């Protein structure tokens, strides 16, 4: 999927929302994407790997952990000491650690690279780690500060989390599922990407937009990771450097917004910020491509 196709699907979702006044069809779309297709997509992609594959990621694999750690720690500290009990603190953490590495990251990485395999490795590894984390955070903050146990149990009710953990367990156990099963699962699950874009477009609204929230998410999700990678990975091979730079600097994932909507945690504010940041990031990397 290229950038033009991605923007067209977002625009389609926005137009459909203007034409269809009822919220019910979009609720069904969210359930289909979140509870079925996204779970299949995650399970198929993770379960198709093996332990050797996971261990071969090396620098890309290490930077997934580093970027998650940097974004999570900085956004957490900011939320704890600046935002305090505001539920936006939880939404900010979710948006900060869950980038759009696939639907947006792959097309942008292809602007710089002919082979985006390292970007795919980054995205896959990132998804395995952040899906359980963000669902736990969203569940915890949407519960008004529920206990860790309550938040964990609530997070486990989200099908993509269960799919991710099940697939990861199979990989660690060395259980290889047959291609005749995995390939159809991945193919059907891939439909989650275009449908997520359509759903994202249907959620676009600037009525809850705030410049302060844009600056907060932009800082922890984009600016800090971009600078960290640019300053520490410049000597790496181009395919590694550009893959990690692009994937680490993506705006919040559409799936992150869907998860926030699932738990009714500042979803309108998150969608507004994500939409604006998506346009800004596209412009940033197109400009880098032109001038580099």
């Amino acid at each position: 999927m290229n950038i033009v196709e991605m923007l067209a699907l977002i625009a389609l979702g926005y137009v459909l929302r203007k034409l269809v006044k009822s919220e019910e069809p979009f609720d069904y779309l969210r359930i289909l994407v979140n509870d079925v297709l996204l779970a299949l997509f995650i399970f198929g992609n993770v379960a198709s790997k093996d332990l050797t594959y996971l261990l071969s990621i090396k620098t890309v694999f290490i930077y997934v952990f580093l970027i998650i750690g940097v974004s999570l720690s900085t956004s957490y500290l900011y939320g704890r000491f600046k935002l305090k009990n505001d539920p936006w603190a939880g939404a900010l953490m979710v948006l900060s650690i869950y980038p759009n590495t696939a639907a947006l990251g792959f097309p942008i990485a292809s602007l710089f690279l002919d082979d985006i395999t390292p970007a795919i490795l980054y995205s896959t590894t990132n998804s395995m780690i952040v899906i359980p984390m963000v669902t736990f955070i969203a569940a915890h903050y949407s519960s008004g500060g529920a206990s860790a146990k309550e938040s964990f149990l609530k997070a486990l009710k989200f099908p993509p989390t269960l799919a991710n953990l099940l697939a990861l367990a199979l990989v660690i156990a060395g259980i290889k599922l047959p291609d005749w099963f995995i390939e159809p699962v991945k193919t059907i699950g891939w439909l989650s990407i275009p449908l997520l874009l359509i759903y994202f477009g249907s959620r676009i609204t600037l009525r809850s937009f705030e410049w302060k929230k844009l600056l907060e998410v932009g800082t922890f999700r984009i600016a800090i990771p971009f600078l960290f990678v640019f300053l520490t990975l410049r000597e790496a091979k181009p395919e590694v450097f550009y893959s990690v730079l692009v994937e680490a600097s993506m705006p919040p994932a559409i799936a992150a917004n869907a998860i926030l909507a699932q738990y009714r945690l500042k979803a309108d504010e998150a969608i507004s910020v994500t939409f604006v940041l998506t346009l800004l990031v596209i412009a940033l990397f197109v400009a880098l491509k032109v001038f580099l």
Side-chain angles (χ1 to χ4, degrees), residues 34-111:
N34 275 353
D35 294 353
V36 181
L37 297 177
L38 185 58
L40 291 175
F41 179 75
I42 291 169
F43 180 83
N45 279 277
V46 176
S48 64
K49 307 300 184 294
D50 55 36
L51 198 55
T52 301
Y53 166 87
L54 296 181
L55 296 175
S56 70
I57 293 174
K58 297 180 180 178
T59 301
V60 173
F61 184 77
I62 292 171
Y63 264 81
V64 172
F65 285 92
L66 289 175
I67 296 302
I68 291 174
V70 167
S71 295
L72 178 59
S73 60
T74 52
S75 61
Y76 170 76
L77 290 172
Y78 178 84
R80 181 177 178 82
F81 295 106
K82 180 68 174 178
L83 301 176
K84 298 183 179 179
N85 295 324
D86 189 338
W88 172 250
L92 177 61
M93 290 169 63
V94 169
L95 298 173
S96 296
I97 66 174
Y98 195 173
N100 190 344
T101 57
L104 187 63
F106 294 167
I108 290 182
S110 67
L111 293 176

Side-chain angles (χ1 to χ4, degrees), residues 136 140 145-155:
F136 174 81
H140 179 70
S147 68
K149 179 180 178 181
E150 291 172 333
S151 298
F152 180 73
L153 292 175
K154 190 173 182 180

Side-chain angles (χ1 to χ4, degrees), residues 153-207:
L153 292 175
K154 190 173 182 180
L156 284 179
K157 294 179 181 179
F158 189 52
T161 302
L162 289 174
N164 184 78
L165 295 176
L166 175 60
L168 186 57
L170 292 174
V171 171
I172 294 173
I175 300 174
K176 184 72 173 179
L177 297 176
D179 288 343
W180 61 261
F181 175 79
I182 283 294
E183 291 306 318
V185 169
K186 291 168 64 176
T187 300
I188 296 172
W190 184 87
L191 292 173
S192 64
I193 293 180
L195 290 178
L196 273 172
L197 291 169
I198 293 173
Y199 177 74
F200 175 69
S202 74
R203 299 297 90 194
I204 289 175
T205 172
L206 295 179
R207 65 175 179 268

